[in-house]
Each structure stands twice: as structure tokens, then as C-alpha cells.
Amino acid sequence: MNNTTNTEADPTPNDSESSLSINKVIDESVAGLRKFSLHSADAYWSAAFIRNRGYFTKTEQEKLRHTTVAIAGLGAVGGNVFLGLVRGGIGSFVITDYDHFEPSNINRQHGARPNTLGRSKVSVLVEEALAINPYLKIKTINEGLSPNNTSEFLKGVDIVVDAMDFFAYRARLSLLTECRRRNLFVVSSGNVGFGASLLIFDPKGMPLDDFLGVSAQSNDQDVMAAFALAWIPRHFSATYTDPSYISLEAKVGPATGVAALLAGSMIITEILRISLKNPGIKPVPHFLQFDFREGKFVSGVLRRGNKGLWQRIRRYVLINKYWGKKEGYKPVPPPGIFQPRVLSLPVPEAVVNAILTAGIQAPSGDNNQPWTIKIDGDKVHLGIEIGEKISYFDYKHIPSLLSVGTMLENISIASTFYGLETIVESISEDLSGPVATISFKLSDEPQNKLFNSIWERNTNRRCYTKQRIPQDLTAKLRQIALSFPGVQWHEIRDKKALRKLAKATLLVDILRSEREDLHLHFQDMLRFEEKHVYKTKDGFPLRNLNAGPEGELFLKLSHKWKVMRVLNYFGFSYLVAYFAYKEILASQSVVLLTIPSISHKDCLTAGRALERVWLEATNHDLSFQPMAALPIFLLRSKLKDDTDLSPRHKKLLAEAEAIEQQVFHHFNRDKENQLIMFRLGYAKPIKVGTLRRPLSSFIKDNNN
């Protein structure tokens, strides 16, 4: 047999003992062929590809058998191309990929199955290829393409497929440059949404620098933009793509199997045509692009490549409007987070860090991220940072405790990703030390379905649509909240009640706009400039508030209290409060969560309930916005801690309280303590999310 020696089974520990080795795959394939007297290379080739006759002559089929194709990348496109060319009759391959299969590959990648998760893509696809044709010659490189192995990768090949990940733009540029030097054709495709493009690079065609408009000396942003524009000449998918699921920072975005199949099919066709020297090959600056969902096709020419006027305009818009504003937020686990469940204790440090990273995706008041984390052997201590300046809204640190509860729930859910269960060892009423101490134990329970919602959850301040929330869904959310001891759920959906509650929130927001300390705190948590956003990684990016151009201008002009005080004199506090009024009116449901006491234990429990409900809502595409001002003001009033309010503000608060008691008539003010209110509905996704500081900023050593 003609298999090269480097097609051995992958030796990684994730391969189970039952996984077939390369030799076993070959032996089983040949044994199957023996039944039909096809157990020689010549006999098999003559029979297996007979249905290609009519499109290929015998001579052409034999030529394909002796053609060597190099494939860089074995993901969605590369895997399709590899196995498609195997079935097309190509006889020899050089393949390279450093990656391993993970669950997110299932929707589009050949070889991604439950029993291959964690295994190298090279090993799995070599087995699949040899199961199809045991007489293939395959040379493998189990690492990413780099200057160190490019020569080995291209040695003896006839044609090259570029199927690397989009973010491997430097490696792609290097490969294309070297292939041109070696007089090799390269076929590639940009796939997005339900469509794909086709690009062919002729070593004697348009110079690479002219087509891309960049060189090896260009900066990363320019190179990435060059490939984005050249590989996707028409943005057909913009009409149906949610941009909030695209993150340059996390290097993730949506992908479909349809696009991968289309891209693979076009590449396979051109590889066969070029190998057989068929006429009509159209290399760059020519391109083809399909989008099946939009029913669109274009066969075009970028005559001056990315140096053309239209491409230069697109480049400017892409970099400055989209990438420059960094509209995406991290919606899914960062690349590389996947690994099999933990099988023995103690939990590896990398896993603890991954779980805690999921934990700090939790919400917090004004996105102040008040958490402290101390890792002590097999235990983790969670607490809050008590700064010198305490927000009026962080009353008795209840919102901060609530946030620790939301983080605790995230940790509990994320633990199931690794086959672990979170145990709450203790809860303290003393804020000078850890509020909660947790540990982990092994568990056979499956991954919690809400794990991905941890990364997708966000606050959506848009006006929600008129689409009604199904009764069974709100009933499910209510049941989730009530499953946490002591938590009570009070909900209103009636439009008259919502209008009354909107007035109560308006009154409280007037009060908030007219207090200097609250105004200054809010302004302190606003991030007006991008560089400030990415420097602090907390608070609110201005565009996250969805205030619109006029609202953003007002927030900038009223930054100083002396300006806001003058504006309040002319009634602007009512204008500011009207935003909250509209938000309540444009809701399908508003819920008030209460707890029996304001003990740390009850606050943490309420936080866990809030986060579980929020994640479940996210899992059902429900928009969610917490609204803490009214509950906190009224809680302070109940506890007689409102003496610092002016007589006018006390009157506003009393009116708001009377309205709240009307609409939430089942709320027992004597036995329950209101903690948080939130609204639910359906809305367009937000464009700008909030950031989180790095995990290391929360970690305290044992000496602190």
C-alpha cells in the first residue's frame, strides 16, 4: 500500500482505546474490498471512479490519481474539500491543521462527532479518507502552517488549497506569496452566511500585492481588512446577520454548513479543472459569489483589486465604522475553552480559571464589578471590594451582594461544563472577609444547557416590540425564580398597570437626576471615549445606553453637575426620566423579585435566582433589562433611611411607592423586601455591550 508513514493515529490522550488506528482502518477497508476482488490499487481505482466517466476520460482520471494536492486547514471548508477530492479521484495529499474537534464544529465540519471531540482534525480526517480509499498517499503536518514548515508543506505538490481560518491572515499571506514564487496555483473561498465566494490565484496572473493592496510589511488591521474585502466582494449576508455575534477580540462569528459545502464544492471543481488544464479558468481579479438564502449570484472582476476606488471606500467603512467602533461583544466562550470533563481532584488551575472567567461575566450594578476572588487550595472565596466611595444605590452593599449571587450562579453552571458540581461551603454576614466559600466535586451530570447563555446575556435598553411573551414561558421563568428559597415573583403584564408603573419609575428617575451624588456617580461610570472603555473595562460605553445621538450629546453636555443643575431648573430632569418611562411602557412584562430578609444569604440567593431567570430568558431570545432604582429607593424608605431626601423628593418617593403598591398588589411590604425589578420583551439585539476586567484583577493572594 502507498500510505506514507506519517498517517499514524493521533497519540493525544483524548483518543479512546477503541478509536481505530490508521493501520486498522486500512486493513478493514482492504478486507471489505477483498470481497469484491478489488484489493489492489489498480483494481480499486478502475471500479471506484467509474461514474466519473463521461466527465473525465480514462487518461484524465489517471492524471488525477497521480496529482498531489496540498490543503492548508481542515475545518469546515478544508474537510469538505479533502474528502470531496478523495471521492473525485485525487490520489495524493499533503494536509496540515493544528486544531482539535470541539462541540461548536458539529454544525458544519466533516469528522466532528461526539466520539471525535478532542481529537486532532488531521487524524480523524485521515482515517475517514483512508476508509474511503485505502490506497491514498497522505503526508500530514499536525501543526499550523508557519514559515518553518511551509517548504515541507509545498514539497512535491501540484496545486494548493487555502482553507485556513479567516483570522490566520498572516499565514495566508505568507502561503500565497510562497506559492507564487514556486509557480503553484492556489484556490480559496470566502464563506459567510449561506453563501461563498471563489478566488483562484494564478502564479502568472495579477501580482498579489496589487490585488490585495497590502504587503508583508502592512499592519495587522490592514492585512485583515484586505482579506475580508477580497474574500467577500459582496456583503449579501448583511441583511440577515446579527452583527452582535461577531467579535474580532474573541475571533468568533456565526457559520453555517451550507456555506462550507458551497465553498468546498466550488474549490473542488476548480482543483479538478486546473489539474486537468481545462479551459476557462478565471483567476483573480475575477471572482464568483453565491448566496443561497438571498438567491443572489455575481460573477465579477475587481479590476484594480483592493486598490480600486470602491474597495478603498469599503475598506474605510469597514475599519472606521465597524471595526473602529468595536460593535461586537463577546457572545460565546473564547476559542480554546473546550476540554473534556475533569476526572479527578484537585481541579486543574486552568479549569478553575476558566470557570471563574465564566463567573465574572455576571452583571453588577453600573457594571462596577465589585468582586474579589481568593483561591485557597481546593476552595474559592468570593467577596466584595468595599471602596472609599460607596454609591447611594449600593445600599448596605445589597446590590453588590446580589452581584456575587449572580456570579455564583454562573460558576455553578460553568462547572457542569467540566463535569463538576459547585458546593457552597459557607456564607458569611461579615463583609470584611469572604461572603461565600465554594468548592468543587466530581459530577456525572451533563453540561447545563444555559452555559452558552452566560456569554450571550446582556442588558437590552431598547424599546421592546409588541410581540407577546408566551404564557408558558413566563410561567417557566416564574417557577425557576420560586425554586430558590425565599424568593418571591411579582409580575405585571396589563398595559394599564404598566403605564402606572412607568409613572412611578419616572418619579424616581426625576429624583435621581436632581441629586448631585447620584448624577456624579452615574457620570463617573460612563465611558465617553473608546480608549477609556478599553482602558477601564468597566462601566458603560456611551453607546451601550442606546440613548441615540441626541441623548448621547445631552449626556456629554450635562457631565458636570453645575450644568445639570441649571438644566434641572428648566425641567430637564423630567426629560431624562422620560426615557425610563418609555422603557416600561414598551415592555411585555415587568417583574419584581423580593426576599424575606436582607441577610447576605438571602441576597446571594436572590442573585442566583435573578441570573438563572436572566440566562433562561436569554436562551429563549427574550430581551431583559434590570431596573434597580425604584426598589432600592423604596427599600431605603421602608428601613427609614431616607432622611437625607428633601421634602419634595420625599413626596415624589411617597407617590411612587403608592403606585407600586397598587400595581404589585400581592407584594406584602411587611414580610418581603424588594430587591430588583426587571422588564422582559422582544427587541433587536444591542450593538455595544459592556466589557469585563481580566480575571487577574479580581484575584487576591492569601496575604490580602
Side-chain angles (χ1 to χ4, degrees):
M1 279 178 266
N2 293 323
N3 297 83
T4 58
T5 56
N6 46 7
T7 56
E8 296 175 356
D10 180 54
T12 60
N14 293 325
D15 273 335
S16 66
E17 293 181 1
S18 62
S19 294
L20 294 176
S21 69
I22 295 298
N23 289 334
K24 187 173 182 181
V25 170
I26 295 171
D27 290 343
E28 288 187 346
S29 296
V30 172
L33 294 176
R34 189 180 296 275
K35 299 175 184 178
F36 300 93
S37 300
L38 297 175
H39 50 291
S40 75
D42 289 340
Y44 183 64
W45 236 279
S46 66
F49 305 104
I50 195 169
R51 292 297 296 273
N52 286 346
R53 292 291 303 280
Y55 302 120
F56 304 144
T57 65
K58 288 183 178 180
T59 301
E60 288 175 329
Q61 192 69 61
E62 188 66 15
K63 179 173 177 55
L64 294 177
R65 176 180 175 180
H66 295 289
T67 295
T68 301
V69 177
I71 304 175
L74 292 176
V77 175
N80 279 323
V81 171
F82 181 34
L83 298 183
L85 290 175
V86 168
R87 293 192 184 278
I90 296 293
S92 181
F93 296 90
V94 181
I95 57 175
T96 179
D97 199 303
Y98 69 92
D99 209 357
H100 295 70
F101 283 117
E102 56 185 71
S104 63
N105 302 146
I106 294 289
N107 79 322
R108 66 198 185 283
Q109 295 194 17
H110 266 307
R113 302 183 299 273
N115 67 334
T116 63
L117 298 182
R119 292 190 61 200
S120 83
K121 294 179 180 180
V122 166
S123 297
V124 171
L125 288 170
V126 165
E127 289 180 5
E128 294 209 2
L130 292 173
I132 297 169
N133 185 349
Y135 302 104
L136 295 172
K137 296 178 181 179
I138 307 174
K139 183 171 76 173
T140 64
I141 299 176
N142 287 283
E143 58 186 35
L145 201 61
S146 70
N148 295 329
N149 58 26
T150 300
S151 292
E152 183 65 20
F153 176 67
L154 297 176
K155 185 178 180 180
V157 307
D158 300 303
I159 191 168
V160 179
V161 174
D162 161 31
M164 289 184 284
D165 183 88
F166 169 73
F167 291 99
Y169 44 85
R170 285 289 177 188
R172 172 173 288 115
L173 181 59
S174 176
L175 175 65
L176 291 171
T177 302
E178 183 62 18
C179 287
R180 185 176 181 88
R181 191 182 72 81
R182 291 173 178 248
N183 203 35
L184 292 171
F185 271 88
V186 181
V187 184
S188 188
S189 173
N191 65 102
V192 62
F194 291 83
S197 65
L198 176 71
L199 298 168
I200 303 168
F201 292 87
D202 183 340
K204 293 182 172 59
M206 187 176 191
L208 193 59
D209 289 0
D210 289 348
F211 177 69
L212 292 176
V214 294
S215 65
Q217 287 70 45
S218 301
N219 63 46
D220 283 355
Q221 186 180 61
D222 286 341
V223 175
M224 184 163 60
F227 280 112
L229 296 174
W231 262 242
I232 309 294
R234 301 289 185 270
H235 201 180
F236 295 141
S237 62
T239 57
Y240 57 81
T241 300
D242 179 352
S244 65
Y245 280 81
I246 301 171
S247 172
L248 297 182
E249 290 82 4
K251 296 184 178 181
V252 292
T256 69
V258 172
L261 288 168
L262 176 57
S265 297
M266 289 196 292
I267 291 175
I268 291 166
T269 301
E270 295 308 307
I271 290 291
L272 297 176
R273 293 180 70 210
I274 294 169
S275 297
L276 298 176
K277 294 182 170 53
N278 293 155
I281 303 297
K282 293 185 177 181
V284 296
H286 293 267
F287 70 89
L288 297 178
Q289 187 173 348
F290 292 83
D291 190 289
F292 285 169
R293 176 162 166 167
E294 291 295 287
K296 293 182 177 179
F297 163 73
V298 61
S299 174
V301 184
L302 298 174
R303 297 197 180 279
R304 296 191 60 209
N306 282 339
K307 293 182 178 180
L309 177 61
W310 175 240
Q311 289 295 87
R312 285 157 57 192
I313 293 173
R314 291 184 67 211
R315 176 185 177 279
Y316 177 84
V317 172
L318 178 66
I319 293 176
N320 294 281
K321 181 179 178 181
Y322 293 102
W323 294 356
K325 291 185 176 179
K326 300 180 185 296
E327 292 191 332
Y329 62 94
K330 183 175 59 179
V332 293
I337 196 172
F338 171 72
Q339 73 171 64
R341 64 197 303 119
V342 174
L343 299 178
S344 63
L345 299 177
V347 181
E349 180 182 359
V351 173
V352 173
N353 288 340
I355 291 172
L356 294 176
T357 298
I360 63 174
Q361 306 310 309
S364 58
D366 301 319
N367 193 30
N368 63 347
Q369 305 172 43
W371 315 296
T372 63
I373 301 171
K374 184 180 289 186
I375 302 172
D376 184 14
D378 62 347
K379 298 184 187 299
V380 177
H381 307 287
L382 307 177
I384 60 174
E385 189 78 63
I386 302 177
E388 296 180 4
K389 293 168 55 179
I390 299 175
S391 165
Y392 188 89
F393 281 125
D394 198 18
Y395 180 56
K396 294 184 181 296
H397 299 293
I398 290 172
S400 291
L401 291 167
L402 184 72
S403 182
V404 173
T406 62
M407 179 170 66
L408 186 58
E409 188 62 18
N410 276 4
I411 289 172
S412 177
I413 292 170
S415 295
T416 67
F417 188 84
Y418 298 95
L420 298 169
E421 179 183 346
T422 303
I423 306 299
V424 180
E425 300 278 351
S426 63
I427 295 176
S428 172
E429 295 295 319
D430 182 6
L431 288 178
S432 64
V435 174
T437 297
I438 61 174
S439 61
F440 304 100
K441 74 174 185 179
L442 301 178
S443 171
D444 288 329
E445 292 298 312
Q447 175 186 317
N448 191 299
K449 68 176 184 178
L450 298 180
F451 175 74
N452 285 325
S453 294
I454 290 174
W455 311 88
E456 297 175 352
R457 179 208 59 79
N458 61 74
T459 297
N460 193 325
R461 295 180 177 84
R462 292 182 183 273
C463 287
Y464 298 169
T465 69
K466 294 181 180 180
Q467 181 181 347
R468 302 289 291 177
I469 305 172
Q471 289 279 2
D472 59 343
L473 178 52
T474 51
K476 181 178 183 179
L477 298 178
R478 179 178 182 273
Q479 192 59 42
I480 289 172
L482 297 179
S483 68
F484 290 85
V487 175
Q488 295 296 319
W489 171 285
H490 303 280
E491 180 182 9
I492 57 171
R493 297 167 64 102
D494 179 72
K495 287 300 179 183
K496 289 183 179 180
L498 288 172
R499 187 173 295 277
K500 290 180 179 179
L501 184 63
K503 182 179 179 181
T505 59
L506 180 141
L507 295 171
V508 167
D509 268 37
I510 291 172
L511 191 163
R512 182 166 66 172
S513 296
E514 294 180 351
R515 280 188 63 104
E516 180 179 4
D517 56 345
L518 296 181
H519 173 80
L520 293 177
H521 172 74
F522 175 68
Q523 289 286 339
D524 187 54
M525 298 308 295
L526 274 180
R527 306 292 177 253
F528 291 99
E529 297 181 8
E530 180 185 308
K531 63 180 181 181
H532 196 191
V533 172
Y534 284 88
K535 179 180 179 181
T536 65
K537 295 189 176 180
D538 61 8
F540 300 112
L542 184 58
R543 294 176 62 235
N544 173 255
L545 299 180
N546 199 50
E550 300 85 356
E552 291 177 9
L553 178 61
F554 175 81
L555 289 169
K556 291 177 180 178
L557 293 175
S558 63
H559 180 65
K560 293 183 178 180
W561 170 244
K562 63 181 181 180
V563 175
M564 189 65 199
R565 185 170 54 189
V566 172
L567 293 173
N568 286 338
Y569 180 80
F570 292 99
F572 272 78
S573 57
Y574 287 84
L575 180 62
V576 174
Y578 185 66
F579 282 99
Y581 180 85
K582 288 201 308 180
E583 288 171 347
I584 294 292
L585 285 184
S587 304
Q588 292 303 318
S589 172
V590 175
V591 177
L592 177 69
L593 290 186
T594 68
I595 50 177
S597 75
I598 57 172
S599 69
H600 292 183
K601 180 178 180 181
D602 282 352
C603 288
L604 293 183
T605 300
R608 298 192 68 169
L610 173 68
E611 185 71 346
R612 181 62 72 103
V613 168
W614 199 337
L615 296 176
E616 187 68 41
T618 300
N619 195 48
H620 288 273
D621 295 322
L622 269 179
S623 295
F624 191 109
Q625 181 188 358
M627 310 182 83
L630 181 62
I632 291 297
F633 267 117
L634 295 183
L635 179 62
R636 294 188 76 130
S637 176
K638 173 186 175 179
L639 299 177
K640 310 299 182 185
D641 202 356
D642 57 356
T643 56
D644 59 342
L645 296 180
S646 68
R648 177 175 177 275
H649 287 167
K650 284 185 178 181
K651 184 178 179 181
L652 291 176
L653 191 58
E655 187 178 351
E657 183 175 18
I659 294 173
E660 188 201 58
Q661 288 180 336
Q662 278 185 335
V663 297
F664 292 117
H665 52 271
H666 293 299
F667 167 39
N668 189 327
R669 191 168 182 269
D670 295 326
K671 295 182 179 180
E672 300 174 52
N673 295 276
Q674 55 186 305
L675 198 63
I676 191 74
M677 189 170 72
F678 57 85
R679 67 187 189 107
L680 295 165
Y682 295 96
K684 292 181 179 180
I686 65 172
K687 290 185 176 180
V688 178
T690 55
L691 301 181
R692 294 297 181 274
R693 304 200 312 266
L695 177 63
S696 58
S697 68
F698 304 104
I699 303 291
K700 306 294 181 182
D701 61 42
N702 292 324
N703 296 322
N704 291 335

